[in-house]
Amino acid sequence: MIKIKKIIYSTLIVLCVGMLGAWAPMSYSSVEDRYANADLYSMYAVETITYDSKNVNEKVNSAPQYTALDGMTNACGAVAGAEVIAYYDKYYSEMIPGWQSYYPASGKYRPLDKVYIPSVMKELYSLMRTNVEGLGVSDSDFVNGLTKYINSKGYDVSLKNVVYGTGIDYESCKSAIDNNKVIILLSRAVNVYNITDEGTHDRISTATISDLHIMVASGYKEIKYYKGSSLFRTDKYLLASVGFRDIDTAYYKVNPHSLNYAYIVNIS
């Protein structure tokens, strides 16, 4: 559950509102980072980017947006895993037997129901060994649990990490999203953003995720800002389902990034 907090940073009032190559099996390790519950602090201050012109390259796919079940603690792994399962149910119908995660007429995803997604989330929560070796899940807990679930439905899955040290293969991320794939982001504490186009300037609202967290990206936005004919700034984002009750999606900035891993999900 998200805890309600109030924190003052000088004049800013901050309120809580609220992933090389194909994957190979991993061994459990007590020294791995743990992804558990994190707080989300929404900042009422904004950055304003004034420009003469801008070029926007973006693609956003419809995707599920879930939150943890009541009583389910440190569950960002199970929530993100359920979003991945539901997303691919549109293309692999036995991912959730007996149910469609989307509306056939529109292709948009259904909200969290009371039976099927809770069942998937509970199974993933167990398969990922949530809270067994420590709070939440490790990277290997998460990957192994998600893989076991998908394999049990008769499908193969590979997770390609596109984080290389301090860099990320953003072009591969964009290509994956263009081809209707999602990217699982295993992040350190980080800011996420809302972007509002106001004609002559963009307003960037900032929220802070307080600790290690797992999200699922299904869109991208690359913005190039110009003064006259001179490019003065390029921002690169992934649009992610963040898993909080009060904010469903937000933009994650990848230049620079704060990711441990970014897994492109391939299912066959």
Side-chain angles (χ1 to χ4, degrees), residues 2-262:
I2 299 175
K3 304 172 184 176
I4 304 299
K5 300 182 178 180
K6 178 183 275 188
I7 298 177
I8 299 177
Y9 296 104
S10 63
T11 59
L12 298 180
I13 297 177
V14 185
L15 299 177
C16 173
V17 298
M19 168 162 336
L20 296 171
W23 172 80
M26 301 176 185
S27 60
Y28 301 114
S29 170
S30 61
V31 300
E32 287 186 274
D33 287 326
R34 309 291 302 184
Y35 301 84
N37 275 359
D39 293 322
L40 180 70
Y41 299 100
S42 183
M43 192 176 295
Y44 284 63
V46 295
E47 177 187 9
T48 300
I49 306 173
T50 302
Y51 55 85
D52 293 330
S53 64
K54 68 177 180 178
N55 178 272
V56 180
N57 180 25
E58 67 180 328
K59 172 72 178 290
V60 175
N61 295 323
S62 175
Q65 297 164 9
Y66 303 145
T67 58
L69 305 177
D70 289 343
M72 187 175 280
T73 61
N74 304 311
C76 65
V79 172
E83 290 173 337
V84 171
I85 297 303
Y87 180 87
Y88 284 101
D89 183 67
K90 182 185 289 188
Y91 309 100
Y92 303 93
S93 61
E94 293 305 304
M95 199 69 73
I96 307 175
W99 191 68
Q100 289 181 317
S101 63
Y102 62 99
Y103 298 106
S106 66
K108 293 184 178 180
Y109 286 89
R110 303 178 190 271
L112 180 63
D113 72 306
K114 295 183 178 180
V115 177
Y116 292 95
I117 295 303
S119 178
V120 170
M121 205 176 292
K122 290 174 183 177
E123 185 172 352
L124 289 170
Y125 193 82
S126 176
L127 289 172
M128 292 176 181
R129 304 171 73 248
T130 307
N131 298 330
V132 172
E133 297 290 335
L135 295 179
V137 298
S138 67
D139 170 55
S140 58
D141 286 330
F142 176 83
V143 169
N144 291 338
L146 181 63
T147 300
K148 286 177 182 178
Y149 180 96
I150 295 173
N151 290 167
S152 75
K153 306 307 175 187
Y155 302 110
D156 293 324
V157 58
S158 65
L159 303 180
K160 181 181 180 182
N161 179 30
V162 291
V163 168
Y164 305 93
T166 59
I168 182 171
D169 187 346
Y170 187 61
E171 293 304 314
S172 289
C173 291
K174 289 165 53 180
S175 177
I177 291 166
D178 286 339
N179 287 282
N180 299 315
K181 298 176 183 179
V182 294
I183 305 159
I184 307 170
L185 309 178
L186 280 73
S187 177
R188 303 183 290 277
V190 71
N191 289 335
V192 291
Y193 305 93
N194 180 61
I195 306 168
T196 304
D197 185 339
E198 298 193 345
T200 60
H201 59 275
D202 281 355
R203 289 171 42 112
I204 314 296
S205 303
T206 305
T208 299
I209 298 175
S210 64
D211 210 339
L212 282 77
H213 190 58
I214 304 179
M215 303 173 281
V216 180
S218 59
Y220 63 82
K221 182 190 287 280
E222 185 173 12
I223 311 174
K224 295 183 177 181
Y225 296 100
Y226 295 86
K227 289 286 190 182
S229 60
S230 298
L231 174 68
F232 71 91
R233 175 167 172 165
T234 300
D235 289 349
K236 300 178 181 181
Y237 303 92
L238 294 172
L239 181 65
S241 173
V242 295
F244 292 98
R245 294 186 187 277
D246 295 291
I247 297 180
D248 46 15
T249 61
Y251 284 99
Y252 183 98
K253 197 171 185 179
V254 301
N255 58 321
H257 73 82
S258 296
L259 298 171
N260 289 331
Y261 304 94

